[in-house]
Amino acid sequence: MDQGPRKVPSFFLLKYGFVGPALVLLVAFNIFPLFSNIYFSFTDAESDLSGMKGVGGENYGTVFNKPMYGEAMRTTAVFTVVVVAVELVLGFCLALCLRDSFRGRDVVLTALLIPMMLCPLVVSLFWKLILNSNFGLFYLTLRDGLGMQDPPAILERSPLVAVMIVDIWMWTPFMMLIALAGLNSIPKYIYEAAEIDRAGRWTVFLRITLPMCAPILLLAVLLRTTDALKQFDLVMALVGENLSQTQTLSVLLYQRAIASQKVGEGAAYGFVILVAVIALSTLFTRYIDYIQRKQGKS
Amino acid sequence: MKAVRWVFIAAYLLVAAVPLVWLFVTSIKYDIDVTAEKVKWIPNPATPKNAPTVTFPPTVGQSWLLLNDKAYAQTEFPLIHYFINSLIVAFVSTLASVALGTSCAYGFSRFKIAGDKDWLFFILSTRFLPPLAVVVPILIMYRTLNLTDTMFGLILLYTVFNLSLAVWLMKGFIDEIPKAYEEAALVDGYSWMQAFWKIIVPQAATGMAVTAVFCLISAWNEFGFALILNNSQKAMTAPVIFKYFLGRTTGVPWALLAAGALLYAVPIIIFTVIVRKHILRGMTFGTIKQ
């Protein structure tokens, strides 16, 4: 911290003038809704708040007893584990391929960045064109091009897999990018030392590359996990909110609290999720702190 | 080993590029050709033979012009209207986020703020707060304040939504500016405000631009809150109208949608190319520097 002239009284106004407006807005849009959410969760509020009355813990009972909530949790867990794992493996392989510089590397890297920056709705739109089982490019190519008898109608028969495919398409480059940063941060002399010791390619990979990349890959996994748990856009665009197979946590909340107007129930559900996610976020922020301290040292 | 590498890169690039190419091909076809059970990479310019009396788009490639036509889309406004809404919302909220974020980041970077560590943790944590824990009260708050179905409501929300990212990114950039610059200015008789405007803002301009691009992209792409808070077609942003089309069971104007989707993606592609060197920083809250 600076040793500036901070004892001057008007300084107080000045420094809080800088940070104040942003903090007020953040509190108004996060802390205030958070508490009113807890309040609503103990009421039978529907979209019209008049005539709302307290119902004690009834909503929480509903959330823990209705099978659809448990199912949504399972769907989200399966979705998250699969997409994060596939993205990690694919992204890391890509990063290994793109590690050494070659002509056109910048172009390839830039091209790979585009999917994750696109609007999920736009992405879903063209994937719907591709996966459609009447006129989709993928379906027709399998049937006419490769002569497959009965190609899988992914979007209709296993919509969750379709959502996974699109998510993987969008976010693998993100893993690649972070893995690449990890690979680039490994000092060259370690590899040179390994060469002198005549370590084999696999040994070098398992004993040097992987462990040295691990912390940063874990960061990527945490970031992607918190994101995948919130999956909403792709499901809404590709499938809609009413199919139980693809109801992730957010989609189910939308269907209950917004479409069916069960505000109280939705609020209780939101709060349960929040408690679960706080644990993960704490882990994440602690981890960032750790990474930054490490960066500061080196 | 080298061959494996190239095959892998080529395969991935192909998978990444084909959807976008197919989107373009679709955008210049007749709707009746889009839904035909045959893969056609090159659109046939001849009017389809057994087409219904009115075939849309009237000529190949015309879907791009129909973006400004509401009759074909069967919406209250032509598709371009929703794009302009998106543009206004994204730009205004980005300006606000960057302005507030820069000033807040400067405060945290240069002054001793009581509990600064906790505040910064709080700012970061808001980004990881699942929207579903706050969406219901925000909806009710917006209804009470008559902010639903307005562009101002979305602008306000996106400003706050992007603020945490803006503060964290800008703090990273401002921390890198040597304090000696301002100290010299202060010795020369500048006030803190003058030092901020004349030293920090020009020095942090690149950082502000990068932050702005990230705010712009996330506001441009946002869908969830827009869907919930904004149901009037007058103030609706483009992602919500895309959802509206995708939710139709019949009569989806595919060629028009493809043209619209591509048009909606173009600015993002351009911006991605511009900030490619900073993307990692932006996506990880400045925790990883490139």
Side-chain angles (χ1 to χ4, degrees):
Chain A
M1 275 293 137
D2 69 311
Q3 296 299 314
R6 74 172 83 110
K7 300 256 149 56
V8 189
S10 71
F11 218 65
F12 183 83
L13 259 179
L14 179 75
K15 67 186 190 183
Y16 286 100
F18 274 118
V19 298
L23 294 183
V24 167
L25 273 176
L26 280 167
V27 168
F29 275 79
N30 291 289
I31 302 296
F32 169 69
L34 213 54
F35 281 104
S36 44
N37 191 60
I38 297 174
Y39 171 72
F40 286 132
S41 75
F42 290 104
T43 68
D44 64 350
E46 302 219 346
S47 82
D48 176 17
L49 291 185
S50 59
M52 136 184 123
K53 57 183 190 310
V55 290
E58 199 182 283
N59 289 325
Y60 288 92
T62 316
V63 168
F64 283 110
N65 290 325
K66 257 195 193 165
M68 63 161 121
Y69 288 106
E71 251 169 60
M73 234 170 252
R74 219 183 46 221
T75 307
T76 311
V78 170
F79 173 81
T80 305
V81 170
V82 172
V83 297
V84 173
V86 174
E87 284 161 13
L88 178 67
V89 173
L90 269 182
F92 192 63
C93 290
L94 259 182
L96 285 173
C97 291
L98 291 166
R99 185 182 191 182
D100 308 315
S101 66
F102 53 85
R103 266 186 69 191
R105 179 172 177 264
D106 277 355
V107 179
V108 173
L109 272 179
T110 311
L112 286 179
L113 295 179
I114 289 168
M116 65 175 169
M117 309 303 273
L118 292 177
C119 177
L121 267 288
V122 168
V123 173
S124 311
L125 199 146
F126 58 68
W127 275 98
K128 250 193 148 166
L129 275 170
I130 288 169
L131 295 176
N132 187 297
S133 64
N134 292 315
F135 55 85
L137 175 65
F138 178 71
Y139 185 84
L140 291 180
T141 308
L142 285 187
R143 198 187 63 184
D144 303 343
L146 301 176
M148 204 181 274
Q149 283 299 315
D150 187 24
I154 301 175
L155 207 50
E156 287 80 11
R157 253 181 263 161
S158 33
L160 188 63
V161 175
V163 179
M164 285 173 179
I165 290 175
V166 180
D167 194 272
I168 290 165
W169 184 85
M170 277 186 89
W171 290 105
T172 297
F174 176 70
M175 288 288 197
M176 179 274 291
L177 202 59
I178 296 194
L180 206 55
L183 288 174
N184 287 338
S185 69
I186 303 174
K188 276 239 160 54
Y189 66 82
I190 298 186
Y191 285 109
E192 283 156 12
E195 208 170 310
I196 291 167
D197 290 345
R198 299 188 181 209
R201 196 174 259 168
W202 266 107
T203 321
V204 171
F205 179 74
L206 289 177
R207 293 284 177 84
I208 298 175
T209 310
L210 214 50
M212 302 253 337
C213 272
I216 209 163
L217 285 179
L218 188 60
L219 176 79
V221 168
L222 279 169
L223 271 167
R224 275 305 299 141
T225 305
T226 48
D227 250 21
L229 287 174
K230 293 192 258 186
Q231 180 53 259
F232 179 75
D233 299 10
L234 293 179
V235 177
M236 290 296 285
L238 286 166
V239 193
E241 71 266 27
N242 292 321
L243 210 61
S244 69
Q245 290 158 277
T246 52
Q247 271 176 347
T248 57
L249 299 171
S250 315
V251 176
L252 183 62
L253 185 100
Y254 174 81
Q255 200 224 351
R256 297 303 293 166
I258 313 290
S260 310
Q261 313 206 324
K262 300 266 180 223
V263 167
E265 199 182 304
Y269 180 52
F271 186 65
V272 172
I273 306 301
L274 177 71
V275 173
V277 171
I278 280 179
L280 203 70
S281 305
T282 313
L283 193 71
F284 173 73
T285 36
R286 288 277 153 78
Y287 195 73
I288 280 191
D289 225 37
Y290 164 77
I291 289 263
Q292 279 188 328
R293 251 180 289 138
K294 236 175 110 183
Q295 265 191 351
K297 267 184 210 156
S298 61
Chain B
M1 208 54 199
K2 236 185 171 157
V4 174
R5 188 174 87 179
W6 277 106
V7 168
F8 193 72
I9 294 176
Y12 198 87
L13 275 178
L14 194 72
V15 172
V18 162
L20 284 170
V21 175
W22 187 244
L23 191 64
F24 176 71
V25 172
T26 304
S27 80
I28 53 173
K29 282 183 181 174
Y30 291 103
D31 277 339
I32 198 164
D33 282 341
V34 173
T35 49
E37 279 196 47
K38 200 160 179 239
V39 178
K40 265 192 209 150
W41 282 96
I42 294 151
N44 181 5
T47 315
K49 269 183 209 138
N50 48 357
T53 33
V54 185
T55 307
F56 273 109
T59 54
V60 153
Q62 223 195 354
S63 54
W64 287 84
L65 300 174
L66 289 171
L67 287 172
N68 201 14
D69 181 293
K70 63 182 175 184
Y72 169 50
Q74 293 172 26
T75 44
E76 283 175 42
F77 300 92
L79 210 53
I80 208 82
H81 163 87
Y82 308 99
F83 286 30
I84 292 168
N85 284 352
S86 279
L87 201 67
I88 295 170
V89 169
F91 262 97
V92 178
S93 71
T94 297
L95 276 180
S97 292
V98 173
L100 288 167
T102 307
S103 105
C104 185
Y106 178 71
F108 278 116
S109 178
R110 295 300 201 255
F111 302 118
K112 183 104 193 86
I113 308 276
D116 52 357
K117 277 261 154 70
D118 297 329
W119 279 115
L120 283 169
F121 175 82
F122 162 70
I123 294 172
L124 182 67
S125 68
T126 62
R127 187 71 173 197
F128 296 98
L129 184 70
L132 54 162
V134 290
V135 64
V136 172
I138 286 181
L139 175 65
I140 288 166
M141 180 165 96
Y142 266 46
R143 278 198 190 133
T144 320
L145 300 171
N146 280 327
L147 284 173
T148 47
D149 300 338
T150 64
M151 277 200 262
F152 177 73
L154 279 189
I155 290 170
L156 191 64
L157 192 77
Y158 291 171
T159 302
V160 183
F161 183 74
N162 280 328
L163 206 46
S164 57
L165 176 74
V167 172
W168 270 79
L169 276 181
M170 285 315 299
K171 188 169 177 298
F173 283 114
I174 291 175
D175 281 345
E176 280 168 20
I177 303 170
K179 287 190 185 103
Y181 289 8
E182 291 144 274
E183 277 156 18
L186 290 175
V187 170
D188 284 351
Y190 277 46
S191 73
W192 275 97
M193 279 308 281
Q194 281 171 322
F196 175 71
W197 279 108
K198 295 197 172 147
I199 311 287
I200 295 296
V201 171
Q203 287 283 328
T206 318
M208 285 164 86
V210 171
T211 307
V213 170
F214 281 105
C215 292
L216 210 56
I217 291 177
S218 88
W220 182 253
N221 288 348
E222 208 282 336
F223 166 69
F225 279 108
L227 175 76
I228 290 161
L229 299 176
N230 211 340
N231 284 310
S232 85
Q233 295 214 349
K234 193 164 185 299
M236 199 177 270
T237 50
V240 185
I241 205 75
F242 284 139
K243 159 72 182 141
Y244 166 80
F245 280 120
L246 289 176
R248 281 191 190 173
T249 42
T250 52
V252 182
W254 282 112
L256 176 81
L257 274 187
L262 211 53
L263 184 65
Y264 206 66
V266 165
I268 297 299
I269 295 173
I270 294 170
F271 277 131
T272 306
V273 173
I274 294 173
V275 292
R276 63 185 185 280
K277 293 255 181 301
H278 299 275
I279 282 201
L280 196 56
R281 188 188 261 221
M283 311 285 304
T284 60
F285 282 74
T287 47
I288 301 176
K289 287 173 187 132
Q290 257 166 329

